[in-house]
Amino acid sequence: MSSPTIEWRGDLDSLQQAIKYGQDALAATSHDDPDRALQCNNLGERLLRRFKRMGDVEDLQRAIKYGQDALVATPHDHPNRAMWCSNLGSSLELRLPVLHPVDGFNECVRLYSDAWRCLTSPPRDRIHAAFKHAPLLYSSGKFQESSVILEDAVNLIPSMNLRFLKRDDQQHILSELSGWAVTASSMILQAGREAYDSLKLLELGRGTIMGFAIDSRSDLSDLKRDHRSQFDIFHRLRVEIDSPVDEIYLVSKRESLISRRKEAVDELEKTLVFIHSLPGYSGFLLPPSPDILRKMSENGPIVVLNSTHFR
């Protein structure tokens, strides 16, 4: 049985070989091995790629099964859980128009919601999940709930750390970032909220892109210049929270790493509260206030055009 949507890209032979290696690795991994969740997730991702290329629904079904197995073997506060919930949700979404499973839509919503709420996961994984979650809520007419999730997701963007990524990956995320702010802004208007709520997210997105791309023009560079010790604390915590998890390290010290990730999240929140109390830093990494936006238009009106498929 095949799907009508077939994607042909890349080296199929290499993908076939990767699937074979993944199957062999999983077969050699015991059910109580801490690596099993990672093996299941990786194999599921490869099968999903082959489904997109070949259209064989059996690959999709197996990808879903391995994704489910990965989650069963993953603690709820594991840093990788958001990514794996999101991966499984994506597979289930692809199955909706093919097999029309009972309650499949609600399961996708639940998975994306769980991913977004996993505070120990890297911010970028949570943000990706939020932008998968919101359109499903929107399609159900839950405009207000969708807009709140996207607003929170955009506000989380400054917590991302892109420095450890390769340049191509950085550019990819920066291009996504612009789209995230635009989408959230549109959803807020669709929910009937104030224009300010929409515009402030566009400005936050623009400012964050500039901050990532041009260090000398960001809140972070100002903090580094004026309050070096607080900058060092903030930077260390942001890197710690948004860095990939070393699975080999998790095998022996998973509990302590997860506990430390929770502590780092709490410490970052407290650090931000302190930074906001510093003179001149009440708006650090926050959207611009209404007064700031009004001041921008002192020399004449500012017109913003924002178009998405939502509005």
Side-chain angles (χ1 to χ4, degrees), residues 6-304:
I6 299 177
E7 178 183 336
W8 290 94
R9 282 191 311 189
D11 185 348
L12 185 58
D13 288 340
S14 295
L15 179 57
Q16 303 278 36
Q17 190 174 41
I19 290 173
K20 177 63 168 60
Y21 287 154
Q23 291 170 332
D24 292 344
L26 184 60
T29 304
S30 64
H31 285 273
D32 59 352
D33 191 313
D35 274 342
R36 188 169 183 84
L38 177 64
Q39 300 283 7
C40 287
N41 178 75
N42 289 348
L43 180 54
E45 283 188 329
R46 292 164 188 168
L47 287 166
L48 183 62
R49 291 194 197 108
R50 190 167 70 180
F51 164 74
K52 291 179 178 179
R53 298 181 184 188
M54 303 295 293
D56 187 345
V57 175
E58 179 62 26
D59 279 341
L60 178 59
Q61 295 283 58
R62 292 167 64 201
I64 290 171
K65 174 62 168 60
Y66 286 125
Q68 291 169 335
D69 290 346
L71 283 185
V72 168
T74 304
H76 285 277
D77 52 3
H78 191 293
N80 282 343
R81 189 169 181 88
M83 179 173 59
W84 294 351
C85 280
S86 191
N87 288 346
L88 178 55
S90 296
S91 296
L92 289 171
E93 268 200 89
L94 286 173
R95 191 174 68 171
L96 290 177
V98 179
L99 299 178
H100 309 288
V102 176
D103 206 34
F105 179 88
N106 291 336
E107 180 65 6
C108 291
V109 170
R110 184 190 68 78
L111 285 166
Y112 292 145
S113 177
D114 287 352
W116 165 244
R117 293 200 303 265
C118 190
L119 301 182
T120 55
S121 292
R124 65 188 182 283
D125 292 339
R126 296 180 59 212
I127 293 168
H128 275 118
F131 277 86
K132 292 179 179 180
H133 186 198
L136 297 184
L137 295 175
Y138 174 88
S139 68
S140 301
K142 298 179 180 179
F143 300 155
Q144 184 70 22
E145 186 177 350
S146 178
S147 73
V148 170
I149 288 174
L150 292 189
E151 180 178 17
D152 290 344
V154 171
N155 284 329
L156 188 61
I157 288 173
S159 297
M160 292 195 308
N161 170 48
L162 304 186
R163 301 306 175 197
F164 67 89
L165 297 176
K166 295 179 180 178
R167 184 168 182 81
D168 288 347
D169 293 332
Q170 289 183 6
Q171 293 299 322
H172 174 70
I173 289 183
L174 286 175
S175 66
E176 283 188 322
L177 196 158
S178 176
W180 290 340
V182 167
T183 298
S185 176
S186 179
M187 190 71 77
I188 282 174
L189 293 176
Q190 188 68 11
R193 296 171 57 186
E194 295 293 329
Y196 164 68
D197 294 326
S198 175
L199 186 57
K200 71 179 182 181
L201 293 188
L202 288 176
E203 283 299 303
L204 178 62
R206 183 183 65 82
T208 304
I209 290 174
M210 290 178 61
F212 281 136
I214 311 173
D215 284 342
S216 62
R217 301 181 63 182
S218 70
D219 284 355
L220 282 174
S221 61
D222 292 342
L223 183 68
K224 184 177 182 179
R225 181 193 63 224
D226 299 337
H227 303 280
R228 181 57 187 260
S229 62
Q230 289 304 312
F231 168 82
D232 289 342
I233 293 172
F234 174 83
H235 179 68
R236 172 179 59 79
L237 292 171
R238 186 172 70 160
V239 169
E240 183 176 356
I241 292 169
D242 201 36
S243 295
V245 174
D246 185 340
E247 288 296 329
I248 296 176
Y249 182 69
L250 275 178
V251 171
S252 58
K253 297 185 177 180
R254 180 171 63 188
E255 294 301 324
S256 62
L257 187 146
I258 292 174
S259 177
R260 174 55 203 156
R261 184 65 67 97
K262 291 178 181 177
E263 292 173 358
V265 170
D266 291 339
E267 289 175 20
L268 182 61
E269 291 181 359
K270 293 176 182 177
T271 299
L272 284 171
V273 170
F274 181 79
I275 292 173
H276 291 152
S277 72
L278 297 172
Y281 282 87
S282 60
F284 178 74
L285 297 183
L286 293 176
S289 67
D291 288 341
I292 290 177
L293 291 179
R294 291 191 193 99
K295 192 171 183 179
M296 292 179 182
S297 62
E298 285 181 351
N299 296 323
I302 298 174
V303 178
V304 178

